[in-house]
Amino acid sequence: MAEESDQERTEAPSPQRLEKAREDGQVPQSRELATFVVLMAGGAGLWMMATGLGQTMSQIVRGGLQFRPSIARDSSHAMAQLSGQFFDAAFALAPFLLLMMVATLASPLLLRGWLFSTKALMPDFKRLNPLTGMKRIVSHQGLVELVKALAKVGLLGVVAVWLIWSNLDAIFSLSLEEPSTAIQHMGDLIGKVFLLASGAMIFIVVLDLPYQLWSYYNKLKMTKEELRQEAKESEGDPHIKARVRAQQREMARRRMMAEVPTADVVVTNPTHYAVALKYSEGKMGAPRVVAKGADAVAAKIRELAAEHQVPLLEAPPLARALFRHTELGDEIPATLYAAVAEVLAYVFQLRHFQQVGGAYPNAPTALPVPPELDPLNASV
């Protein structure tokens, strides 16, 4: 059952998967929304520009129907008149065409923004497979598209018929008007009918938009195994990371062990803990911890200290306190100054004895270690 659940696409798509889908040209899109925006812009444009556009087009038509003998005898005059009428029509239609272009370019901004992907332009021969095409036709998506198409045709047909029937008197009255006035009224009527009919598509857009968003994110859902694999690729293999951390710890341990021969003293528990201290007068504000360890590491520190003749001092409370409350490279806490001062005094006396001779110094006992710093007391 665990394997089956790992293979089921139940997880929401990750940001990486969404970005990769966008790079591949896969984005949420609603053709119904784009069609609605373009049709509404076209209907509004026709409605607002009907008067001016109708006057210009009627003048062009009248000019084209006029017969001039000079034009009949000279083809150059005919071409000049034809080109002039063409440019007049182009200038008249330019605002409307510009509006349609803006609507076409702006419609993607309502959902996903502009996207240009070269991968989407690459040829995909799988699309030429007739079996794949048949599967798309009979799939759930194909059924939804068929229902939407039938709904659009039915809705627009009903609305258009109702609008035409409601304006039937206005349509018939066009034949009684002057041609120029009739053209203007016809453009205004067509624009209004077109705008209202296109507005009816808002019902289809309201239903289609949530469905398209749901379908898009549903297709990109991931299995738990895919999420784990993606995490490995983005953050690194946990086994490799663990190996790197182990190597880093080993390198840090080697660097620490290299500092033991330079220490002034090693304070021990005597077997569980070992902390190496170093103090350079004038260079350090307080003694620093250059190495510390427990159990096997402590044994290695004691071994290196003995090998390099670094003094070992058995002081269990102080060793426990230093091990618990300091890190490598840290200065000792101020509350341990007095105890460490006695230890260093003993070390300096021991060096003096080794160099000059005299009375052998006594190792300090009952060091002033605050009870709250000793983990043994804190755990009691």
Side-chain angles (χ1 to χ4, degrees), residues 20 79 94 111 158-159 190 207 244 272 309 321 328 340 347 350 366 378:
K20 184 178 183 302
M79 293 303 298
L111 185 60
V158 170
V159 173
I190 291 175
L207 297 176
V244 170
H272 291 303
Q309 299 180 349
L328 288 178
V340 175
V347 171
L350 185 61

Side-chain angles (χ1 to χ4, degrees), residues 243-263:
R243 193 178 309 142
V244 170
R245 285 194 294 267
Q247 292 176 350
Q248 291 173 341
R249 287 194 297 268
E250 178 63 21
M251 293 175 64
R253 190 181 71 83
R254 290 179 182 176
R255 287 195 299 268
M256 181 184 72
M257 292 301 180
E259 294 290 332
V260 174
T262 67

Side-chain angles (χ1 to χ4, degrees), residues 211-248:
Y211 170 76
Q212 293 297 338
L213 292 174
W214 172 84
S215 177
Y216 173 75
Y217 287 104
N218 189 59
K219 288 179 182 177
L220 294 180
K221 276 187 175 180
M222 306 174 67
T223 64
K224 294 181 179 179
E225 177 60 28
E226 288 175 336
L227 281 177
R228 286 194 289 266
Q229 186 63 31
E230 187 180 84
K232 287 182 180 180
E233 294 175 356
S234 60
E235 300 177 6
D237 192 327
H239 299 290
I240 297 177
K241 293 175 68 175
R243 193 178 309 142
V244 170
R245 285 194 294 267
Q247 292 176 350
Q248 291 173 341

Side-chain angles (χ1 to χ4, degrees), residues 282-327:
K283 296 181 180 179
M284 298 180 183
R288 292 182 182 274
V289 175
V290 296
K292 72 171 189 175
D295 299 329
V297 178
K300 184 63 177 178
I301 291 175
R302 293 195 303 272
E303 179 183 342
L304 287 173
E307 182 180 344
H308 292 86
Q309 299 180 349
V310 176
L312 293 170
L313 178 64
E314 183 178 329
L318 180 59
R320 291 192 296 265
L322 288 171
F323 185 85
R324 172 64 64 88
H325 299 288
T326 60
E327 297 296 335

